[in-house]
């Protein structure tokens, strides 16, 4: 396997880094509150980054999401990338691709996903009923990808839902509660093929693990910068061995998240089974991600307890991603089942 980015992937990553660095500032994020930054989303779409996902693949999307995570930029790039562009491009019909992909590329269509399946949604002749307690970026979305109890995938227009209720999460992800009651939906993938659900779930786990890698890298960078200038007993905190060890452990955890995510993304792009690799990346993002963002806040000392300090946002994102990915024990149990069944590649 080769994780070396292509020229196109590097160019997209560098462009994303510039846009996020210029626009996802602490002041703008504070002003956005719990909602998304519409102007930042427009800038990303004007630069062609959402549309580039088709060309740069999952590994390219992961590189973009790392840059988003470094700044905790409040835009639905991960959701619309995996639940929209990649899901429709891979599993949509020719008519669905022609109708949906142009809007997904320019950002006027935003898709989020109600994954993983909880069994709370029932499909009956193209209509859905049930409730999904919270869906990330639902309040920004024009469509939502919903799995039914049989793990079939359905695309629902948010305006057709019975209700979309505001839900506030730990991280400001413009989330909502999705209530369906005889809501019309269109099938994504063949009715007799459960593969699309498993592949989209693996893609989502990979993408959000990449986002967590960026969140951790940003948290650690802030901690390094702070401890390099903050003095205690006449010398910088960074010269104390205990601080160095905590930072070193956080660095290794961040790299473990990154390399396992790159493997899952590479397998996805190569058309190989990425389910086990995505679970592994998600477990590292969940378990190690918690440790890293706790370390980042801890190394800021009393400043880390300030809810308005930028590092606190990384802490909130890290904990939210832990919850969204399924928490470490749940993921480990699923990995154990794969190993027991001999299904882990």
């Amino acid at each position: 396997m080769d994780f070396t980015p292509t020229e196109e992937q590097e160019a997209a990553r560098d462009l994303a880094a510039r846009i996020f660095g210029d626009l996802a500032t602490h002041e703008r994020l504070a002003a956005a509150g719990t909602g998304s930054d519409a102007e930042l989303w427009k800038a990303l779409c004007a630069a062609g980054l959402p549309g580039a996902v088709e060309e740069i693949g999952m590994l390219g999307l992961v590189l973009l999401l790392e840059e988003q995570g470094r700044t905790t930029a409040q835009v639905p790039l991960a959701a619309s990338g995996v639940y929209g562009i990649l899901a429709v491009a891979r599993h949509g019909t020719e008519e669905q691709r022609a109708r949906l992909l142009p809007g997904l590329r320019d950002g006027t269509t935003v898709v989020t996903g109600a994954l993983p399946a909880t069994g709370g949604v029932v499909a009956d002749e193209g209509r859905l009923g049930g409730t999904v307690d919270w869906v990330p970026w639902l309040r920004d979305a024009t469509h939502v990808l919903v799995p039914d109890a049989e793990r079939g995938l359905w695309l629902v227009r948010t305006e057709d839902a019975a209700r979309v209720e505001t839900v506030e999460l730990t991280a400001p992800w413009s989330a909502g509660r999705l209530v369906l009651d005889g809501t019309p939906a269109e099938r994504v993938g063949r009715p007799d093929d459960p593969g699309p659900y498993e592949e989209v779930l693996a893609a989502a786990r990979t993408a959000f693990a990449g986002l967590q890698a960026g969140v951790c890298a940003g948290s650690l960078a802030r901690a390094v910068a702070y401890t390099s200038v903050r003095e205690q007993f006449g010398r910088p905190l960074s010269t104390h061995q205990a601080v160095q060890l905590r930072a070193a452990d956080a660095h290794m955890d961040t790299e473990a998240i990154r390399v396992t995510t790159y493997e899952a993304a590479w397998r996805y792009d190569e058309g190989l089974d990425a389910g086990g690799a995505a679970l592994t990346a998600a477990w590292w993002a969940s378990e190690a991600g918690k440790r890293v963002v706790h370390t980042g806040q801890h190394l800021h000392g009393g400043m880390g307890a300030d809810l308005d300090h930028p590092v606190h946002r990384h802490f909130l994102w890290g904990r939210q991603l832990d919850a969204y990915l399924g928490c470490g024990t749940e993921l480990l149990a699923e990995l154990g089942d794969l190993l027991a069944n001999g299904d882990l590649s």
Side-chain angles (χ1 to χ4, degrees):
M1 63 187 68
D2 184 4
F3 302 153
T4 305
T6 64
E7 290 184 7
E8 292 79 7
Q9 290 169 339
E10 287 185 334
R13 178 191 60 194
D14 294 344
L15 178 58
R18 288 198 298 271
I19 294 173
F20 286 129
D22 289 343
L23 297 182
T25 62
H26 176 58
E27 292 74 21
R28 285 178 61 93
L29 290 170
T34 61
S36 294
D37 188 332
E39 292 303 314
L40 175 55
W41 180 243
K42 289 180 182 178
L44 291 171
C45 295
L49 289 175
V53 171
E54 288 179 88
E55 299 298 325
I56 61 179
M58 176 59 73
L59 182 56
L61 177 58
V62 165
L63 295 175
L64 300 184
L65 293 174
E66 280 191 79
E67 299 305 325
Q68 178 187 355
R70 291 178 197 275
T71 58
T72 61
Q74 293 168 202
V75 289
L77 180 58
S80 203
V82 292
Y83 298 130
I85 291 174
L86 292 179
V88 172
R90 284 212 174 192
H91 304 294
T93 64
E94 184 175 346
E95 187 277 331
Q96 286 173 329
R97 292 194 295 271
R99 171 164 47 90
L100 295 169
L101 283 176
L104 285 165
R105 293 175 186 132
D106 65 23
T108 56
T109 299
V110 175
V111 179
T112 188
L115 277 73
T118 61
V121 174
V122 177
D124 183 13
E125 297 183 352
R127 292 186 176 271
L128 304 183
T131 300
V132 183
D133 288 333
W134 67 274
V135 181
W137 286 291
L138 181 61
R139 303 194 318 258
D140 293 335
T142 59
H143 297 73
V144 55
L145 194 65
V146 182
D148 62 25
E150 303 300 322
R151 297 193 172 186
L153 288 178
W154 301 85
L155 196 61
V156 176
R157 294 193 307 171
T158 50
E159 64 182 25
D160 292 334
R163 290 194 309 281
V164 172
E165 303 168 353
T166 297
V167 174
E168 298 299 348
L169 304 178
T170 303
W173 286 2
S174 296
R177 179 177 292 106
L178 181 67
V179 181
L180 306 170
D181 186 6
T183 302
E186 56 180 311
R187 186 91 185 205
V188 177
R190 299 196 314 272
D192 60 342
D193 183 8
Y197 171 82
E198 299 297 340
E199 187 172 294
V200 171
L201 180 59
R205 284 170 165 164
T206 303
F208 282 94
L211 189 59
Q212 182 76 302
V215 169
C216 291
S219 176
L220 183 57
R222 290 190 181 279
V224 169
Y226 177 80
T227 57
S228 295
V229 297
R230 176 69 171 176
E231 292 190 356
Q232 186 180 59
F233 306 121
R235 57 194 180 107
L237 285 172
S238 59
T239 62
H240 293 272
Q241 188 178 47
V243 173
Q244 294 172 356
L245 292 175
R246 287 293 301 274
D249 285 343
H251 172 73
M252 294 303 298
D253 274 338
T254 301
E255 288 303 299
I257 298 170
R258 179 178 288 117
V259 72
T260 53
T261 301
Y262 286 4
E263 180 184 2
W266 176 83
R267 293 186 66 86
Y268 181 93
D269 287 338
E270 292 295 313
L272 303 172
D273 179 15
L279 261 175
T280 303
W283 181 83
W284 273 103
S286 173
E287 286 291 291
K290 280 186 297 189
R291 291 196 295 265
V292 174
V293 296
H294 275 264
T295 294
Q297 192 166 25
H298 187 196
L299 291 181
H300 277 76
M303 295 298 294
D306 182 357
L307 301 185
D308 294 324
H309 195 282
V311 77
H312 186 65
R313 188 177 290 110
H314 290 270
F315 175 77
L316 295 178
W317 275 65
R319 293 311 306 257
Q320 186 64 60
L321 282 162
D322 165 42
Y324 187 61
L325 288 166
C327 299
T329 52
E330 295 178 19
L331 296 167
L332 198 60
E334 193 172 343
L335 273 170
D337 290 339
L338 285 179
L339 287 169
N341 295 328
D343 295 334
L344 188 61
S345 57

